[in-house]
Amino acid sequence: MSPETIIAPTATTNWIDHLPEAALLVDAGQDLIVAANSAMGRMLGTDRQSLAGTPCTPLFTDQRPQLIAFTEETLFRSHAWSRDFILKHRDGHTVELEISSSRVGEAESQNVLLLLRDRRQLRTLRERHDANHYHRGGLLEWRRVEELFKDMERENQLILHAVGEGIYGVDAEGRTTFANPAAERMLGWRIDELMGRVIHRVVHHSHADGSLYPLKECPIYAAFRDASIKRVGEDWFWRKDGTGFPVEYTSTPILDNGHPVGAVVVFRDISPRLQAQKELQKALEEVESLKHRLEMENAYLQEELSAEYHFHEIFGQSEAIKAIVRRIGMVAPTDANVLVTGESGTGKELIARAIHQSSTRRERPLIRVNCAAIPKDLFESEFFGHIKGAFTGAINDRVGRFELADGGTLFLDEVGEIPLELQGKLLRVLQDQQFERVGENRTRAVDVRVIAATNRNLKVEVQEKTFREDLYFRLNVFPIESVPLRRRLEDIPILAQEFLNRACQKFNRPALVLRERDVETLKAYHWPGNVRELENVIERQVITADGRLDLDLPGPDSGARQTTTQTPPARHFNGELMTEKELRDLEKQNLTRALEMSGGRVFGDDGAAALLGVKPTTLTSRLKKLRIEPKDFQPKRA
């Protein structure tokens, strides 16, 4: 019979003394003991009348919050149960309690009946009951069942201790019922600290970022709420020390006669797996970066192999060539920057390659940049690279020439063409060996030696403020002048014969030999295009030769072939000193005549660049500087 049928809220409370267990009738709203029976008095070692009208919470030392929560649960659910409370006897010993509670009276009543049992006495009674039962069934049968249960318990404990995954159980209220050693080890909690506590509030209360994880969204509870297995691939558990770790887990419901009464959770720490994935991803990114760099280097080397080099060794026995070789030998073993100056076609790139091949960097590539061939708005990307999306058209990451040359040598051909606004960034790389790709904040370090070459007078450009003085001094650590061919006439026979042999082999023609008359003719020419022009002349002679050479070059006072046009003959160098303006006028007249002879064409075998013996890009740069438009010399259409 329930208490509600025994008493109404206004009836007498003497019935409570007839209950066999210790009992308290409490007004939870006012925290007052309405009545207590004799068993309650014996449990406390006091008179039951002295309890009536006194507060209830002082009986439960340091457990006031738990008692309030317990009575609120009773008022909400009409009943509750707990094994978490302790009473103190008058003589000082403590009594561990098992408490059942029921709501008494009408719906708005605040009265709660508490039935209190001594847990130690309960254990003794149960043990006696079990012993009597098995004794009645026979001592042999009792021992057999005891051994059976011991074996089962031992096997279960061995399994729980052996598995590496964490395992814990919860009841329908979410309170912990058991946990294996692996769970204790991973969570940092002892099993006795977890027992009876709501596990979600202990280890699963918030996400990895610290945001709240509501209980109603917890998949562990959903398992026994929906009576279905829940598998979670990546979640977050918290340890006792406040640190967290990623987990994957499975929550399996426990059913009793088809009704869920709890769940078993099996979880594992996936930190090593995620770290391995992160390291693998980083390694893949590094491999992809190296792959992209190797592709860029391969593309560059293929470009270098397909390019036309005019000579591969330094030929000559003149004092000028010997002096250049000595200077190459001095500077090559060092990492000093070198500035190679000289006219077009004198072999500045050959000197740069000789320095690189004689240095300790020869195992790494020599990366060449033709500064005259790069559009102004692409200089920075060409030098330093860019990331995807840095600007319109940047659909992929690009490795710059500095990064390609890391550990090797960067050859800046026609360095005087670098825009003034980029010279400061180039200076910084030369000073710090650091740079950033266009559109990227990350600073990259490189180890690059720079060899620059120019046919301009950079000292004059520094004075005219078109070239930075600090950059000039940074590049001009060790200057080398590439001597023009007219100052090393004794080398012409050696060079001409070498070019003749190569041309005959290249065009599959019979071998030809230079005659003394051919050598004198070659020495009498001024060679404004220098060695490059000499090679071009020899190749043309081999193509047109009919068993022997027939050199037809202008005389010693001419710098270009005569033309049938009515253009006044240009003034050529005759050994007298000329002013800077006269030199520029002479250059302008020479370029103009070349454009007239080629019909305004710069590129091609019969273009102005070929006539002058210079690179088309070099000629384009000079025409731009002198403000000469090639299209003005193209034939007019009818």
Side-chain angles (χ1 to χ4, degrees):
M1 181 177 295
S2 66
E4 289 91 331
T5 60
I6 298 176
I7 186 170
T10 56
T12 179
T13 57
N14 291 336
W15 57 269
I16 197 172
D17 197 42
H18 299 287
L19 294 176
E21 298 173 320
L24 287 173
L25 183 61
V26 178
D27 184 341
Q30 300 183 35
D31 187 25
L32 288 176
I33 299 176
V34 178
N37 64 358
S38 300
M40 188 70 226
R42 288 192 297 274
M43 181 176 285
L44 292 173
T46 186
D47 185 8
R48 69 182 182 89
Q49 283 83 4
S50 64
L51 295 174
T54 63
C56 178
T57 52
L59 297 179
F60 301 89
T61 307
D62 299 327
Q63 290 184 296
R64 186 173 185 273
Q66 292 93 324
L67 182 62
I68 293 174
F70 183 71
T71 55
E72 286 181 350
E73 182 181 358
T74 305
L75 293 173
F76 179 73
R77 295 186 175 182
S78 298
H79 58 83
W81 178 88
S82 175
R83 302 182 68 196
D84 295 336
F85 290 97
I86 298 174
L87 279 180
K88 202 163 190 178
H89 193 274
R90 188 173 184 179
D91 62 8
H93 78 271
T94 58
V95 182
E96 297 179 0
L97 298 176
E98 177 183 291
I99 301 180
S100 299
S101 63
S102 300
R103 181 175 178 176
V104 179
E106 301 298 331
E108 61 274 5
S109 173
Q110 298 282 308
N111 290 341
V112 173
L113 177 64
L114 303 178
L115 299 179
L116 299 87
R117 307 173 190 87
D118 187 331
R119 286 165 55 187
R120 282 172 293 190
Q121 292 180 0
L122 285 176
R123 281 196 297 270
T124 302
L125 290 173
R126 285 172 185 152
E127 289 170 358
R128 289 176 181 175
H129 177 270
D130 292 342
N132 290 335
H133 172 74
Y134 289 116
H135 181 72
R136 286 193 300 269
L139 181 61
L140 184 62
E141 179 67 14
W142 181 83
R143 286 178 177 175
R144 188 187 70 80
V145 173
E146 181 184 40
E147 290 300 320
L148 176 64
F149 277 101
K150 285 182 179 180
D151 290 343
M152 291 175 62
E153 175 67 16
R154 184 164 53 252
E155 290 177 3
N156 289 336
Q157 289 298 322
L158 286 174
I159 292 173
L160 287 175
H161 280 72
V163 295
E165 289 85 358
I167 303 175
Y168 66 83
V170 293
D171 61 18
E173 302 295 329
R175 300 179 186 277
T176 309
T177 57
F178 73 90
N180 73 336
E184 291 181 292
R185 188 168 55 254
M186 282 188 273
L187 297 174
W189 293 89
R190 298 193 314 273
I191 179 60
D192 59 312
E193 295 175 314
L194 291 175
M195 287 293 290
R197 301 186 65 175
V198 177
I199 194 69
H200 181 86
R201 298 194 184 106
V202 177
V203 302
H204 200 207
H205 46 76
S206 54
H207 296 286
D209 60 1
S211 60
L212 183 65
Y213 201 148
L215 184 65
K216 61 182 180 180
E217 297 178 6
C218 178
I220 297 173
Y221 286 79
F224 53 78
R225 187 172 58 240
D226 305 338
S228 61
I229 298 175
K230 304 295 181 182
R231 294 181 176 87
V232 179
E234 186 173 338
D235 209 329
W236 196 262
F237 278 3
W238 296 93
R239 301 185 183 91
K240 183 179 180 180
D241 61 8
T243 60
F245 61 99
V247 296
E248 64 178 15
Y249 61 84
T250 301
S251 179
T252 304
I254 301 174
L255 304 179
D256 183 13
N257 294 324
H259 298 287
V261 294
V264 173
V265 179
V266 180
F267 68 95
R268 63 173 57 90
D269 184 349
I270 59 174
S271 299
R273 189 182 76 192
L274 295 182
Q275 181 63 27
Q277 289 177 350
K278 186 182 296 183
E279 292 176 356
L280 177 61
Q281 181 63 30
K282 182 179 179 181
L284 289 174
E285 290 175 356
E286 291 178 355
V287 168
E288 187 64 27
S289 176
L290 289 173
K291 176 186 174 184
H292 184 60
R293 175 171 178 169
L294 288 174
E295 288 174 350
M296 291 290 294
E297 287 188 5
N298 181 62
Y300 174 78
L301 292 175
Q302 291 294 333
E303 174 186 327
E304 291 288 284
L305 288 173
S306 63
E308 181 181 6
Y309 295 115
H310 299 287
F311 37 79
H312 303 279
E313 299 176 14
I314 299 178
F315 293 102
Q317 56 186 7
S318 64
E319 288 302 318
I321 287 297
K322 292 178 181 177
I324 290 174
V325 171
R326 284 196 298 270
R327 291 185 69 79
I328 290 174
M330 286 189 288
V331 75
T334 72
D335 280 337
N337 294 334
V338 179
L339 179 62
V340 184
T341 59
E343 298 176 9
S344 293
T346 55
K348 295 187 290 295
E349 184 173 347
L350 177 63
I351 294 174
R353 290 183 179 279
I355 294 172
H356 175 72
Q357 291 300 326
S358 301
S359 73
T360 57
R361 298 173 178 264
R362 56 183 170 271
E363 299 300 326
R364 292 292 298 154
L366 169 70
I367 303 298
R368 176 178 174 271
V369 182
N370 185 357
C371 302
I374 303 174
K376 183 177 180 180
D377 55 347
L378 293 181
F379 259 101
E380 191 170 358
S381 173
E382 188 70 25
F383 276 12
F384 311 128
H386 63 254
I387 62 173
K388 181 180 179 181
F391 50 84
T392 303
I395 58 176
N396 290 304
D397 288 358
R398 175 183 172 84
V399 178
R401 295 302 174 100
F402 266 95
E403 199 167 347
L404 283 174
D406 188 20
T409 305
L410 184 67
F411 175 48
L412 301 178
D413 196 9
E414 302 191 56
V415 70
E417 301 291 340
I418 298 178
L420 188 62
E421 56 269 23
L422 186 65
Q423 293 176 17
K425 294 185 178 181
L426 176 60
L427 178 65
R428 180 208 165 188
V429 180
L430 296 181
Q431 290 174 336
D432 304 335
Q433 296 281 290
Q434 293 181 339
F435 69 95
E436 292 90 28
R437 288 182 181 178
V438 178
E440 186 179 46
N441 293 327
R442 173 188 168 189
T443 299
R444 299 173 183 266
V446 289
D447 175 20
V448 175
R449 180 190 194 167
V450 174
I451 301 176
T454 182
N455 55 13
R456 294 185 179 185
N457 189 336
L458 293 186
K459 287 184 179 179
V460 174
E461 298 202 5
V462 168
Q463 294 173 359
E464 295 176 352
K465 305 298 183 183
T466 58
F467 199 87
R468 290 181 63 126
E469 183 178 31
D470 46 5
L471 177 59
Y472 170 72
F473 287 120
R474 178 64 63 174
L475 294 172
N476 195 33
V477 176
F478 193 91
I480 296 179
E481 181 187 5
S482 182
V483 180
L485 191 56
R486 62 180 174 274
R487 288 170 49 189
R488 43 183 288 220
L489 296 178
E490 59 268 44
D491 293 333
I492 288 180
I494 299 175
L495 290 170
Q497 187 61 57
E498 175 67 23
F499 293 149
L500 186 60
N501 295 338
R502 292 182 187 178
C504 291
Q505 185 178 5
K506 177 179 179 182
F507 300 121
N508 196 23
R509 298 295 175 88
L512 296 174
V513 180
L514 285 174
R515 296 166 297 180
E516 186 68 27
R517 184 179 64 184
D518 298 328
V519 172
E520 294 301 324
T521 302
L522 293 174
K523 284 185 175 182
Y525 184 53
H526 186 61
W527 298 112
N530 292 294
V531 180
R532 187 183 296 114
E533 184 183 9
L534 173 61
E535 183 179 16
N536 292 341
V537 167
I538 295 297
E539 287 191 353
R540 286 198 295 271
Q541 289 297 317
V542 171
I543 294 172
T544 60
D546 185 13
R548 63 178 182 176
L549 295 177
D550 185 16
L551 294 173
D552 181 17
L553 295 172
D557 293 332
S558 301
R561 294 181 182 275
Q562 299 298 320
T563 177
T564 57
T565 63
Q566 299 301 316
T567 304
R571 177 183 174 183
H572 298 289
F573 182 72
N574 58 10
E576 298 178 358
L577 290 177
M578 303 176 69
T579 65
E580 182 70 21
K581 183 177 184 304
E582 287 175 330
L583 284 172
R584 291 186 180 180
D585 290 342
L586 177 60
E587 181 183 19
K588 189 170 184 179
Q589 292 173 18
N590 198 48
L591 297 181
T592 301
R593 293 191 63 186
L595 289 172
E596 289 173 345
M597 295 172 64
S598 65
R601 291 189 301 276
V602 175
F603 296 84
D605 293 338
D606 55 351
L611 293 176
L612 294 170
V614 298
K615 294 180 181 180
T617 53
T618 302
L619 179 57
T620 301
S621 175
R622 292 182 182 177
L623 294 174
K624 183 178 179 181
K625 182 178 179 182
L626 295 172
R627 297 181 181 179
I628 300 175
E629 291 290 342
K631 64 182 180 179
D632 294 341
F633 299 88
Q634 296 175 359
K636 304 296 182 181
R637 294 185 180 181

